[in-house]
């Protein structure tokens, strides 16, 4: 998914978009977990990248644990990814696809910024 630009009026009136946090609550280059509608979402704030925030499922489908927010951000053959802290598989941050095993993928969400507040689209 991607980071979008959305008109503030539409953002606040569209029930698909939920405010997650303020930029100050995110740690640059590290993951944090947000819980939305009982769904754990791993957020990665990468201020030096064109897309500054990625939102992916916190559930590691291979290790079967909620750990992805504690993974290591890196690059696999030019693909920005997160390595699972348990079994070290790499998942592309933009698509959620597992690089080593394409049978696995993480869910990803669109995000946007409004007045330094992070919003996420909870629908696909």
């Amino acid at each position: 998914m991607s980071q979008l630009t959305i008109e503030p009026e539409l953002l606040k009136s569209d029930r698909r978009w939920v405010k997650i946090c303020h930029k100050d609550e995110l740690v640059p280059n590290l993951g944090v977990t947000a819980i939305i509608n009982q769904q754990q979402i791993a957020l990665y704030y990468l201020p030096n990248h064109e897309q500054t925030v990625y939102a992916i499922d916190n559930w590691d489908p291979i290790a079967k644990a909620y750990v992805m927010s504690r993974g290591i951000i890196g690059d696999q053959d030019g693909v920005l990814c997160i390595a699972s802290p348990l079994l070290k598989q790499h998942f592309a941050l933009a698509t959620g696809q597992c690089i080593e095993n394409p049978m696995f993928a993480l869910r990803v969400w669109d995000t946007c910024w409004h007045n330094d507040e992070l919003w996420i689209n909870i629908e696909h």
Side-chain angles (χ1 to χ4, degrees):
M1 290 289 172
S2 61
Q3 193 167 312
L4 307 173
T5 302
I6 298 177
E7 294 296 321
E9 297 79 27
L10 178 61
L11 188 66
K12 292 179 181 180
S13 66
D14 188 339
R15 293 180 185 256
R16 295 175 296 177
W17 288 94
V18 175
K19 182 172 66 173
I20 301 300
C21 63
H22 192 273
K23 188 182 284 188
D24 294 342
E25 297 174 271
L26 297 171
V27 181
N29 304 306
L30 291 176
V32 297
T33 302
I35 300 176
I36 304 163
N37 296 336
Q38 300 177 352
Q39 172 72 47
Q40 289 191 30
I41 299 174
L43 303 172
Y44 302 94
Y45 175 43
L46 307 175
N48 297 325
H49 287 78
E50 184 176 334
Q51 181 174 338
T52 59
V53 174
Y54 291 88
I56 65 170
D57 203 353
N58 195 39
W59 176 255
D60 180 337
I62 299 170
K64 300 190 182 334
Y66 289 100
V67 295
M68 294 308 297
S69 64
R70 292 183 257 149
I72 298 169
I73 300 166
D75 178 291
Q76 283 290 102
D77 299 322
V79 176
L80 187 61
C81 62
I82 187 73
S84 168
L86 297 179
L87 300 177
K88 309 304 185 231
Q89 284 85 7
H90 298 87
F91 294 87
L93 283 173
T95 65
Q97 190 68 49
C98 180
I99 294 170
E100 290 84 5
N101 188 342
M103 290 180 52
F104 294 97
L106 304 175
R107 184 176 174 188
V108 295
W109 287 264
D110 287 327
T111 62
C112 71
W113 290 107
H114 175 63
N115 293 335
D116 286 340
E117 295 173 335
L118 178 63
W119 292 70
I120 189 169
N121 186 329
I122 58 173
E123 291 186 10
H124 286 267

